[in-house]
Amino acid sequence: RRGGRRVVTPRGRRLVGLLLAPALWIAGLIVIVLGNAIGGLALVMAGVVARSAARSSRRREELEHLIDGVTVGDVMETASLVVAPQATLDTFAAALDPGGQTTVARIMAGDRLVGLVGLHELERVPPDRWPTVHAADTMVGAADLPALSPEEPLRPAADRLGASPAPGFPVVADGHLAGILTRLAVGRTLHEREIGRAYAGDPAAPG
């Protein structure tokens, strides 16, 4: 209870969804048999939605558990692709590799970060225009990039990044740019840790 009110945990909500779904399906079928096809189908669909929401909630909890104890500094991209604001997209587009270590270009004016260009920003510009479009024209500006610290827990930082249109957030240590937290870096970490967990739980795995 919290403040005199009963608090339903995410696990409780998930169980309610899993239990409610079959009841809605059965009720829907009964309503259809009784002659109300539209009302019955609506109940069946409500059951499908309830079950899907419960599974989605469980999946989110599993992913959050995978990154418990992980910090921003553990995940951030440190490979540096530094680009001047006046550089055209064709001069650095090939260096952005979704499967590699560099998925975001840092747009720097001297020692100052002025923006980021990621794969999404590139995709918004037709390739035949890359030779005439400058990094400054398509970048997400630094004013829209909240700074993180390497010691921050990854989970809330990843949630903030997921709700932002930016390709990444700068990670600052002692006043200096230490790296970039990117969506692909977070996704790669989740994937690697999920594989590691599955491998560790495999009875056929060595050790």
Side-chain angles (χ1 to χ4, degrees), residues 2-19:
R2 183 179 299 169
R5 295 177 299 172
R6 186 181 299 275
V7 177
V8 181
T9 65
R11 182 178 182 183
R13 288 194 293 268
R14 187 174 70 246
L15 289 174
V16 169
L18 290 173
L19 293 172

Side-chain angles (χ1 to χ4, degrees), residues 7-189:
V7 177
V8 181
T9 65
R11 182 178 182 183
R13 288 194 293 268
R14 187 174 70 246
L15 289 174
V16 169
L18 290 173
L19 293 172
L20 182 62
L24 289 171
W25 293 338
I26 293 171
L29 292 174
I30 292 174
V31 171
I32 290 173
V33 169
L34 292 176
N36 186 349
I38 294 178
L41 287 173
L43 287 172
V44 171
M45 289 305 300
V48 171
V49 170
R51 186 173 180 84
S52 176
R55 287 180 170 177
S56 176
S57 174
R58 179 177 181 180
R59 178 60 176 164
R60 178 175 176 83
E61 287 183 24
E62 290 175 349
L63 292 177
E64 289 179 346
H65 180 69
L66 284 175
I67 56 176
D68 281 344
V70 181
T71 67
V72 168
D74 295 330
V75 175
M76 66 183 183
E77 291 187 6
T78 56
S80 181
L81 174 60
V82 177
V83 175
Q86 66 271 22
T88 54
L89 300 185
D90 62 306
T91 62
F92 65 90
L96 296 181
D97 180 9
Q101 297 300 313
T102 304
T103 62
V104 170
R106 309 177 188 184
I107 314 305
M108 305 287 292
D111 295 331
R112 182 170 59 92
L113 178 72
V114 296
L116 296 174
V117 172
L119 296 169
H120 177 67
E121 285 68 43
L122 283 178
E123 290 170 355
R124 290 167 51 191
V125 181
D128 62 342
R129 292 188 55 217
W130 287 357
T132 61
V133 176
H134 299 93
D137 298 328
T138 189
M139 71 182 185
V140 177
D144 298 318
L145 302 173
L148 306 174
S149 71
E151 296 79 17
E152 286 188 48
L154 177 60
R155 185 192 301 181
D159 284 342
R160 290 174 63 192
L161 181 58
S164 167
F169 287 162
V171 183
V172 178
D174 299 324
H176 299 288
L177 186 63
I180 305 293
L181 180 68
T182 67
R183 301 172 192 277
L184 289 174
V186 174
R188 191 160 50 219
T189 297

